[in-house]
Amino acid sequence: MRLTRVYVDAELESGSIVELPRETAQHLAKVLRARSGDQIVLFNGDGREYAGAIDGVRGSRVSAAVGEGTNIDRESPLGITLIQCIPRGDRMDFIVQKATELGVRRIVPVLSQRSVVRLDAEQAESKATHWRAVVVNACEQCGRAKLPMLDAPAPLVNYLGGIATTQHRLVLEPDVEPSDMPAILSGHVEIAIGPEGGFAEDELEAFRLAGFVGVRLGPRILRTETAAIAALTWLQTRYGDMQTLV
């Protein structure tokens, strides 16, 4: 039986007792009917999993005893940074969730010229908090013991104006001519996905000036959320930890 994995944003030390996050505790107590002694797995993003057991259930509050920690390596050798224009509705939740499951190392939500979504500072902070919770839930489900980095939403120009940290920088362009991709040897790659209407021409020029190479994913136009999942799967299959599957 697969044990429930619980993320705790605190130091985990063998022999200690920790209070579980409120929403997690409510789910354990009210949905899973957790009882004292039930076995769980705890992690805090440091790359280890800790054997755990429910110590007490008091209404919607649940505490857990921390057991021995074990190093877990479920991270891809390919460090992918996903630069994702924020789509409307809850599709960004889907992208963040699936990107986490597919092993990205960093997610950068951006706003471009054609983005339908517009966020003020308060909304951006609220969205970032919400997406971090999506990351945590995805890590609990998929078995990752490290959380990917999640940047606060910001204009695309802010990102392109920064210092390049990787040698391999890719941007999806549906109309670009097919070309052979050079082997990605550095272990790090950035890939940018546009909004519903695609990147504007001056944005594509800015990408080129920043060292990005245009790539396409076949002859069809993909929705932004489909493009993100397809691109990540392609990268992991060709260069990452899904190579052994083909």
Side-chain angles (χ1 to χ4, degrees), residues 177-199:
E177 290 296 322
S179 61
D180 292 330
M181 275 289 301
I184 296 177
L185 303 177
S186 69
H188 298 275
V189 60
E190 297 167 78
I191 188 158
I193 314 293
E196 288 87 341
F199 289 117

Side-chain angles (χ1 to χ4, degrees), residues 90-212:
D90 60 359
R91 286 185 286 176
M92 190 64 183
D93 290 19
F94 177 84
I95 293 170
V96 169
Q97 180 190 68
K98 301 311 174 189
T100 301
E101 292 177 22
L102 287 167
V104 298
R105 197 165 297 178
R106 181 184 177 192
I107 302 170
V108 183
V110 295
L111 298 164
S112 66
Q113 291 181 31
R114 295 176 179 169
S115 295
V116 176
V117 175
R118 291 289 182 261
L119 303 173
D120 59 28
E122 183 177 349
Q123 291 170 327
E125 182 178 352
S126 176
K127 286 289 187 183
T129 299
H130 173 73
W131 291 330
R132 288 189 185 99
V134 174
V135 165
V136 167
N137 290 337
C139 285
E140 289 177 336
Q141 183 275 325
C142 74
R144 291 183 70 173
K146 292 183 178 180
L147 274 60
M149 293 175 57
L150 177 69
D151 290 21
L156 173 63
V157 292
N158 291 13
Y159 186 83
L160 293 180
I163 299 174
T165 57
T166 65
Q167 178 183 355
H168 302 289
R169 314 187 89 184
L170 311 175
V171 56
L172 289 193
E173 288 189 67
D175 297 328
V176 75
E177 290 296 322
S179 61
D180 292 330
M181 275 289 301
I184 296 177
L185 303 177
S186 69
H188 298 275
V189 60
E190 297 167 78
I191 188 158
I193 314 293
E196 288 87 341
F199 289 117
E201 285 302 319
D202 58 337
E203 289 175 328
L204 291 173
E205 180 60 25
F207 273 112
R208 285 187 279 271
L209 291 174
F212 282 77

Side-chain angles (χ1 to χ4, degrees), residues 173-178 215-223 230:
E173 288 189 67
D175 297 328
V176 75
E177 290 296 322
V215 295
R216 61 184 293 188
L217 297 174
R220 292 169 296 280
I221 304 297
L222 305 179
R223 291 181 181 272

